[in-house]
Amino acid sequence: MRGRIDGRWQALEAVTDPRDARGVRYPLPLPLILALLAATAGAKTFLEAAEHAADLPVWLLTELGVCSWAGTPSVRTFGRVLSRVDDDELDQAFSGWMFTDSEPAAAFAIDGKTMRAATTGQAGMPQTQVVAAMNSRGEVLGQTTVDAGDENTAARDSITRMGRKALAGTVITADAKHTSIAFITEAEKIGAFWQLPIEGNRPATYQRLKTLPWNQVRTDTHGRSRGHGRAKTRSLKVLVLDNDLRPELLGARQAIRIRRWRRPKGKPASVETVHYLTNLPPDAADADDLAKLIRGHWGIEGRLHPVRDVAFNEDRHRARTGNAPQNLADRRNAATTLHRQNGATRIQPALRAANRRPERLLHLLPETTYTGTGQLCTRPAPAPIAKITRKPSCEGKAVDATVMVS
């Protein structure tokens, strides 16, 4: 248990403390750890985080390094810390600690998220937006803040920050808005593969894909399903591109065409055709693998965004001062990842279970080795006090003398 706490402490020591050193009662890692543990128990706001910290058992607070004379941080302390700490540093501290020894995932999905209640006052981007990266295991590897509504730049920055160590050899998937030469170049620079949809935002590439000889290609996969009041039929075709076609199609090695037939109950059927490009070689990914990657990308819509909106009520949280929206989102992502790393398939029951039994919180933290000093529970030394004493002078008269005593 000591290694779990100290490893968390060591990771958060890398975050720059923006507070004035005068009057600091808690080392910066302490309120950040308490805020994370509160999130793993379902706390949504600063007030709930403060109440959760105050209700933790004494033995658990002692393990975390909370001094008996200091008490637990107040709601204002949580608000000040989470609104002033650099969101990129906090995100990197969380990610670097949770994924230190984990095996790389097969695929990563990148997608944007708007926090609707976190208003910015900017005409071009009225709400706070972030771009998150989630792997095929449902773990959030990191997020990047969108500046001035430019989600494409934020997505490329996410790839750069995660780097070769995390992404080399994996497959990156994203929405059509990220299908660009710059995005592809950034992915290939770190040794990652990519699979991206092609829509009207790249008209020349889209038209060229439509003219490929799809009628001469056999259907590789075919599936049917029923649910939500409609029947669906899907077919997938894969075309291996030769060297002459690759420069016209973003350097891709395979082109994919998916047709979806939908028949809602009591309504006419509709047909949708979607095209994808990927640089995965044919011997590394067949039609079934490509279909799995396409379905897996929508996992970020079903396994991350609803969790943040429903379990953590993110779209109604109105914190908007400084970096508070981004840091609260980092905290939610980290809590979701910790529960999934510990085998949780449903986040809301896991949050309730952690809230019922606080001792489960420490077991969510990965075991690490830390050889540093860790947190210290020491009362700050009191300032010297000026004391006025009376002592006789050479002439026998009493004079005032100031003596500094500790």
Side-chain angles (χ1 to χ4, degrees), residues 314-327:
E314 181 176 87
D315 274 350
R316 295 186 180 182
H317 199 292
R318 295 188 293 175
R320 55 186 181 273
T321 302
N323 298 326
Q326 296 90 331
N327 287 328

Side-chain angles (χ1 to χ4, degrees), residues 22 79 100 104 182 232 268 292 304 323 355-356 392 398:
R22 295 172 297 179
T100 301
K232 293 182 181 180
K292 184 178 179 181
L304 178 59
N323 298 326
N355 190 39
R356 288 194 304 270

Side-chain angles (χ1 to χ4, degrees), residues 257-298:
R257 191 190 76 174
I258 298 176
R259 277 200 171 160
R260 303 185 182 106
W261 288 267
R262 290 188 178 92
R263 188 183 297 276
K265 188 175 181 179
K267 296 181 180 180
S270 62
V271 181
E272 179 188 19
T273 302
V274 184
H275 295 90
Y276 286 80
L277 288 175
T278 179
N279 68 338
L280 282 164
D283 57 348
D286 58 16
D288 290 333
D289 296 327
L290 299 177
K292 184 178 179 181
L293 287 170
I294 293 171
R295 290 193 299 269
H297 175 72
W298 301 114

Side-chain angles (χ1 to χ4, degrees), residues 136-183:
S136 50
R137 297 190 293 261
E139 303 162 349
V140 185
L141 190 61
Q143 78 172 17
T144 305
T145 304
V146 176
D147 293 327
D150 189 358
E151 194 173 311
N152 292 323
T153 300
R156 296 194 297 271
D157 290 344
S158 294
I159 295 176
T160 304
R161 283 177 50 186
M162 287 185 284
R164 180 176 292 273
K165 181 179 179 181
L167 298 181
T170 65
V171 184
I172 300 175
T173 62
D175 291 339
K177 68 177 72 174
H178 302 303
T179 304
S180 65
I181 296 295
F183 186 92

Side-chain angles (χ1 to χ4, degrees), residues 222-237:
H222 191 274
R224 294 179 179 178
S225 62
R226 289 181 179 272
H228 304 286
R230 60 181 179 266
K232 293 182 181 180
T233 303
R234 294 174 294 274
S235 68
L236 181 144
K237 292 184 176 183

Side-chain angles (χ1 to χ4, degrees), residues 373-393:
T373 57
Q375 59 270 38
L376 298 174
C377 186
T378 57
R379 186 188 295 269
I385 302 173
K387 182 179 180 181
I388 306 299
T389 61
R390 306 280 290 178
K391 67 178 183 178
S393 65

